[in-house]
Amino acid sequence: MGDIKKLKIERPVLELKAADIDKTIEVLQKQRGTYAPVKRAAKLTDKVTLSLSASMDGKEVESTGEQTIDLVLGEGGRVPEFDENLVGVQAAAEKSFKIKYKKDHQVEELAGKTVTYDVKVKEVAELQLPKVDADFAKALGVEDGDVKKMKEEIKASLQQEVDRRVRARLKDQVFNALVENAKFELPKALLQSETQRLLQIAAQNLQRRGVDPSTVNLEPSVFEPQAKQTVTLRLVLSELVHKNSLHAKPEQIKAMVETFAQGYQDPAEVLTWYYADPKRLEEPTALATEENVIDWVLQSAKVSDQKVDFDEFMCGYRDWE
């Protein structure tokens, strides 16, 4: 398995600041904001209600008809040029503009084509944010409306997510390093079994999407790299656990189950359900054992701290809703 002491692991370091809490509150405000009509020209972040018609080479290819659609300018999901052409429009205005799509545009029908858009603007509305007050705090679950308590809860929630993400990144690094460091021949039977398992999962996923697996050429060779990685990791973890007595202890298993139960309305009931059948404890036992391996590797390997940016590290996190 190679020399564990030579493994290099980078541990993300992120210290929450007041500005990070403020950014979170701003996100919460925007999520609970409302749009109010305005008489001025539209700008980015405004919601524009409009009907449109799109044509190529003089032929209409898309139209909302009499219906209207709402677009928040600058929110993404469209080519930037579209929103840029709507900046400055006002309610009751009509505008025609052209967009030439790039040859590598992801929508094949539009790639390299020039589209003419004719829009009729019905309304321009701006986002109005709720005040950060007692009512806002109550809306977030703080019963007494204490804004200070709300900020403390948001900070605690953020810290929990930071810790979870740090641990997840460490786990990925440790497991990848163990696989890369391992140099031994894999048992063919295990490799073939894992390859078939991955192939079956792919076939099941196709069925869920309404695709007949028999119409898709699922080559086992496509799944072999992932199978090799999985089997290697499984064997390495098994050896480390056995050799270093890293099996999960009863209190660790219980702590893992309690973590699972936190997301449910009645955690005690979930705890009882897990312990009613020993088979149900297999997953929390395996995860707790993995945590022991991670801690053991981190104590042996060369671990260096790496400062990370809050926005980048927490990108996509919305558990504070």
Side-chain angles (χ1 to χ4, degrees):
M1 293 188 295
D3 189 352
I4 301 298
K5 293 181 180 179
K6 293 184 179 180
L7 298 182
K8 295 181 179 180
I9 307 295
E10 292 184 343
R11 176 170 39 221
V13 176
L14 172 60
E15 182 181 353
L16 286 178
K17 301 177 182 178
D20 301 326
I21 310 301
D22 292 338
K23 288 180 183 178
T24 303
I25 293 176
E26 288 177 8
V27 172
L28 291 166
Q29 286 179 284
K30 290 178 181 178
Q31 291 171 346
R32 288 157 178 76
T34 56
Y35 285 93
V38 292
K39 296 181 179 180
R40 59 167 173 76
K43 61 181 182 180
L44 291 178
T45 72
D46 284 344
K47 182 179 72 174
V48 178
T49 302
L50 52 79
S51 59
L52 67 80
S53 172
S55 59
M56 287 192 296
D57 300 323
K59 182 179 180 181
E60 185 177 79
V61 293
E62 182 183 3
S63 175
T64 61
E66 298 299 322
Q67 301 295 319
T68 59
I69 57 175
D70 292 333
L71 302 177
V72 176
L73 302 185
E75 69 177 352
R78 299 176 295 276
V79 291
E81 294 88 344
F82 190 92
D83 288 19
E84 290 168 3
N85 275 284
L86 292 178
V87 171
V89 299
Q90 291 183 302
E94 297 185 14
K95 185 173 183 179
S96 178
F97 55 90
K98 296 181 179 180
I99 295 179
K100 184 174 183 179
Y101 290 87
K102 296 180 180 179
K103 293 182 179 180
D104 60 351
H105 188 66
Q106 60 181 5
V107 180
E108 187 176 347
E109 292 80 4
L110 298 177
K113 302 293 180 60
T114 297
V115 181
T116 299
Y117 293 95
D118 295 301
V119 301
K120 295 181 180 180
V121 181
K122 180 180 179 181
E123 183 180 87
V124 175
E126 68 177 0
L127 180 63
Q128 295 186 334
L129 302 179
K131 293 181 179 179
V132 181
D133 54 15
D135 290 336
F136 185 75
K138 289 179 181 178
L140 293 178
V142 180
E143 294 183 0
D144 61 3
D146 189 328
V147 174
K148 183 178 179 180
K149 185 187 297 184
M150 176 198 73
K151 292 183 178 181
E152 291 173 350
E153 291 185 1
I154 290 175
K155 182 178 181 179
S157 178
L158 280 174
Q159 188 62 59
Q160 288 179 358
E161 180 62 14
V162 167
D163 294 343
R164 186 191 70 79
R165 292 194 178 206
V166 167
R167 191 66 180 181
R169 187 169 293 189
L170 284 173
K171 179 177 181 178
D172 288 342
Q173 287 191 67
V174 168
F175 283 5
N176 288 334
L178 288 175
V179 170
E180 292 175 3
N181 206 43
K183 306 296 180 185
F184 55 83
E185 186 175 349
L186 297 176
K188 292 183 179 179
L190 288 179
L191 187 57
Q192 291 174 352
S193 176
E194 181 62 20
T195 301
Q196 286 300 314
R197 188 185 73 86
L198 294 174
L199 193 150
Q200 291 174 1
I201 291 175
Q204 292 170 358
N205 289 336
L206 288 173
Q207 285 183 322
R208 292 192 188 98
R209 291 184 291 174
V211 179
D212 184 355
S214 63
T215 63
V216 181
N217 186 20
L218 295 175
E219 287 289 339
S221 59
V222 174
F223 303 95
E224 284 183 3
Q226 184 178 350
K228 288 180 180 179
Q229 186 173 16
T230 302
V231 172
T232 300
L233 179 61
R234 189 181 302 156
L235 293 173
V236 170
L237 291 179
S238 177
E239 178 67 13
L240 288 177
V241 170
H242 175 73
K243 187 176 180 179
N244 301 283
S245 300
L246 299 175
H247 299 88
K249 296 179 174 59
E251 59 268 23
Q252 293 176 313
I253 299 172
K254 184 179 179 181
M256 187 64 67
V257 173
E258 289 174 342
T259 299
F260 292 171
Q262 286 177 0
Y264 293 86
Q265 188 172 1
D266 190 346
E269 183 178 346
V270 176
L271 195 67
T272 301
W273 180 85
Y274 267 100
Y275 279 90
D277 185 350
K279 289 185 178 180
R280 295 170 184 166
L281 293 175
E282 291 178 356
E283 181 184 2
T285 299
L287 291 174
T289 301
E290 287 181 357
E291 292 298 316
N292 288 343
V293 173
I294 295 169
D295 288 335
W296 183 86
V297 171
L298 291 176
Q299 290 175 2
S300 305
K302 297 179 180 179
V303 182
S304 60
D305 291 341
Q306 179 190 40
K307 290 187 177 181
V308 294
D309 177 72
F310 175 84
D311 291 331
E312 180 182 350
F313 193 67
M314 302 295 286
C315 180
Y317 175 56
R318 291 294 181 269
D319 287 352
W320 52 64
E321 291 185 31

